[in-house]
Every structure is written in structure tokens, then in C-alpha cells.
Amino acid sequence: MKRDSGAGTTKSMPDVASNSMVDHLHSTLDWVGMSQIHLPARVSDTLAGERPVSTSIQAYVSLSNPDAKGIHMSRLYLMLEETFGDHSVSASSIETLLDNFLDTHEGLSDQAFVQFDFEYSMRRPALKSSYAGWKSYPVTIKATKAGDGLRLELAVEVPYSSTCPCSAALARQLIQEQFREDFGGDSQVDMEKVFEWLGTEEGIMATPHSQRSVAQVRVVLDTGCDEAFPITALIDTIEGALKTPVQTAVKRVDEQEFAKLNGQNLMFCEDAARRLKQALNGQQCYQDFWLRVNHLESLHAHDAVAIVTKGVDGGYLPIP
């Protein structure tokens, strides 16, 4: 190609990708492109409208022509800037982007892919008080365009608290034994005395162990449902099913309510996974789902994990 040298003359610039005399191996490549592309963008949310985010993007096309040395990589970057400088990240804008990837690589590529990773901040109210605070959720949007059409995926990570049912039973047993030791010699037990006892350290001499836990959820979206992404809706579904989302700013009344919710929602990782499976099965716009719950054990040095998929033919595998 020709480029202005800055001195009023032009000179021929080498194009190694097209004109290299070095023989290359003739074979296809699954994906070629770029990762760690950092661009500001606006994402369309079905409940929250357009929200600004800072994205890390991967963009690829297949190299399906075995005789081609490579792709037009800079075109991917320029089309990302052009598309999401003018439009929010939505189903239609992503499909337009991938169509442009393929149009500009006609004869080279037959598949296109883009992935957006970003932190999605949401202001969440406290459980009882007037406090509120910001929570940040890792979100991923993936899209693939091929001969069978557009495939859109949404993934989120949601932190929550889990209290072990086994340790709760063991703690109750110890409290029962302490009660018998302290009151077993009395022919009659005074209610006020017991009430006061329950407020002492002896009255709760053992507590069940709880831990911060993380639900990782991926869904395949029905592209006919909505242009926007159900980010807030999916997070709400997950937190609503588990009932013990981690909190931000709290007063003691909120902390007490959080303790109550944990006591009323004792769960092993298997219980958490089943709750989420039931909740996601009820969502018609999710063609498929994969979920993994991670209980970051406070008793053990290892994590307790449960994984489940919707079970769609040709869909997500439990272990990718």
C-alpha cells in the first residue's frame, strides 16, 4: 500500500502478510483475532435500561481458507469502536458487528465470535434499614455467528452466604446438652430464667459454620425474547432463589435479619444447585443453562461444588 511519508512523497510499504515469500503451512484455524481489547460501552439491560460499563473484549473470526496466511485483524478493532461508539451492546448491535466481521473477511472466514467481560454495578437496599450500597457482579456476554445463525450467551457470578445444615444440627445438639446440664436438676423450669439463659453465651455455646459462596450461571438466550440482556433479571432470579445474598452497608437490624435468613435457609451446595435449577427451568427465554455453585468452606481448606445443566440435547456439558 501507499502511505504519505510526510515530505510530500509516497513510498511503498511492505505487506508481509500478503507478499511474504516464505512458504506457510496450508491449514485452517478455528479462531484468529484479538483479546484484552479495552473499550467503554453501554449495555442494554431489560430492567435497568442502558448502563455504562468498561469492557474487556475478545474478537475472533475463523480462518477457514487454508491458503490464506491470516486475517485483517485491524478491521475487527475498528468495527468494534465504530459499532459500540454509536450503539449500546444489544442483540441486534452484536449481530450487526458479527455480520460485518464476516462480510469483511469474505473468502477467509465462515464464523465470527465476540465476548464482553465487565463488572456490572447495582445499588442494593439493606434488608431492614434505609441503608443501601453498591454491589459489583462479574458479567460475560458471548456471541457466535455461523451458518446456523446467532448464538447469544450471558454469564454472571453472584455471591451469597451458605450455612451448613450438618453443623447447624450439631450446634443444636450441644445447646440441648448445655440446657440439660444447666436446668436438668430443676423440677420446674422458670420461663424468665430460660429466656435470660438463651441470651447468654452458654445459651448459644455453639454456632453452625457459614461461608461466602459463589453461584456461576450461564444461559443461552432466546434471541426472539428481547433486544436487551436480562442481566438484572438473572441476578434477581439467582438471589431470590438462594435468599441469602451478601450485603453492602448494614445496621444491626440488617445483620440480625441476615442471620435469620441464613438460619431459615440452611443449605449444602447440592441444595443451592437444586434451588437454582428449579428457578432457571421456569424461565422460558433461557434455551439452556449451566450452573456451578461454590461453597468456599470455612471448615475445610477445600471448596464444596455442585454443577448442573438444563439437559438439552447438544447443549452445555457439565464439565466443559
Side-chain angles (χ1 to χ4, degrees):
M1 66 181 174
K2 300 288 187 181
R3 179 171 295 177
D4 190 342
S5 67
T9 61
T10 59
K11 64 179 180 180
S12 178
M13 305 289 286
D15 187 351
V16 177
S18 299
N19 303 319
S20 175
M21 298 179 64
V22 179
D23 290 336
H24 73 282
L25 297 175
H26 292 253
S27 65
T28 61
L29 297 173
D30 292 332
W31 297 113
V32 181
M34 295 176 288
S35 67
Q36 296 295 319
I37 305 169
H38 297 284
L39 291 178
R42 293 166 289 124
V43 64
S44 292
D45 186 304
T46 53
L47 296 181
E50 289 190 5
R51 298 281 300 277
V53 292
S54 180
T55 63
S56 176
I57 303 174
Q58 300 181 60
Y60 308 114
V61 292
S62 62
L63 189 52
S64 307
N65 183 344
D67 296 325
K69 287 186 176 69
I71 68 165
H72 307 296
M73 203 166 289
S74 61
R75 295 181 185 177
L76 304 182
Y77 183 91
L78 294 173
M79 282 184 282
L80 280 165
E81 278 214 323
E82 179 182 347
T83 301
F84 299 112
D86 296 332
H87 305 283
S88 64
V89 179
S90 66
S92 60
S93 65
I94 287 178
E95 185 165 26
T96 297
L97 174 77
L98 296 182
D99 285 339
N100 288 337
F101 280 2
L102 293 173
D103 289 344
T104 56
H105 289 80
E106 186 176 2
L108 298 177
S109 308
D110 56 16
Q111 294 188 85
F113 172 88
V114 68
Q115 175 173 321
F116 303 84
D117 294 295
F118 52 90
E119 294 288 324
Y120 196 75
S121 295
M122 298 170 61
R123 191 160 177 82
R124 293 305 219 184
L127 294 170
K128 287 288 189 179
S129 73
S130 60
Y131 281 7
W134 290 94
K135 289 172 66 176
S136 185
Y137 302 85
V139 174
T140 296
I141 294 172
K142 295 182 182 180
T144 307
K145 188 69 182 285
D148 55 354
L150 178 69
R151 175 184 171 92
L152 282 175
E153 298 176 74
L154 172 65
V156 299
E157 291 187 13
V158 177
Y160 63 101
S161 176
S162 61
T163 301
C164 175
C166 180
S167 68
L170 294 172
R172 288 193 299 268
Q173 183 184 50
L174 288 174
I175 294 170
Q176 285 179 312
E177 292 173 353
Q178 186 66 44
F179 180 85
R180 177 173 289 168
E181 181 178 332
D182 291 350
F183 292 96
D186 299 343
S187 58
Q188 290 185 332
V189 179
D190 181 77
M191 187 192 73
E192 287 300 321
K193 190 175 180 180
V194 173
F195 181 82
E196 290 178 5
W197 178 85
L198 288 171
T200 66
E201 291 186 2
E202 290 78 12
I204 188 169
M205 64 167 302
T207 59
H209 70 80
S210 301
Q211 53 268 322
R212 187 183 300 174
S213 305
V214 179
Q216 299 169 288
V217 178
R218 305 177 200 163
V219 296
V220 178
L221 300 174
D222 185 337
T223 55
C225 279
D226 206 302
E227 280 291 304
F229 290 96
I231 301 172
T232 300
L234 180 55
I235 292 170
D236 286 347
T237 295
I238 295 167
E239 292 187 340
L242 296 171
K243 302 188 184 305
T244 54
V246 299
Q247 301 297 298
T248 57
V250 295
K251 288 187 173 183
R252 280 177 293 177
V253 65
D254 303 308
E255 188 169 356
Q256 186 178 62
E257 182 68 12
F258 186 68
K260 180 181 176 182
L261 286 172
N262 273 266
Q264 293 176 341
N265 292 278
L266 305 173
M267 52 186 156
F268 296 114
C269 64
E270 297 93 333
D271 301 315
R274 289 189 177 103
R275 286 189 180 198
L276 293 178
K277 181 180 181 181
Q278 182 180 42
L280 293 173
N281 270 328
Q283 305 293 320
Q284 293 184 347
C285 283
Y286 302 155
Q287 295 180 349
D288 194 8
F289 63 76
W290 175 97
L291 66 91
R292 169 177 170 145
V293 296
N294 308 272
H295 287 192
L296 314 181
E297 291 275 354
S298 59
L299 173 64
H300 303 289
H302 53 261
D303 300 338
V305 175
I307 301 172
V308 67
T309 63
K310 188 171 184 177
V312 176
D313 287 341
Y316 283 125
L317 297 175
I319 304 295

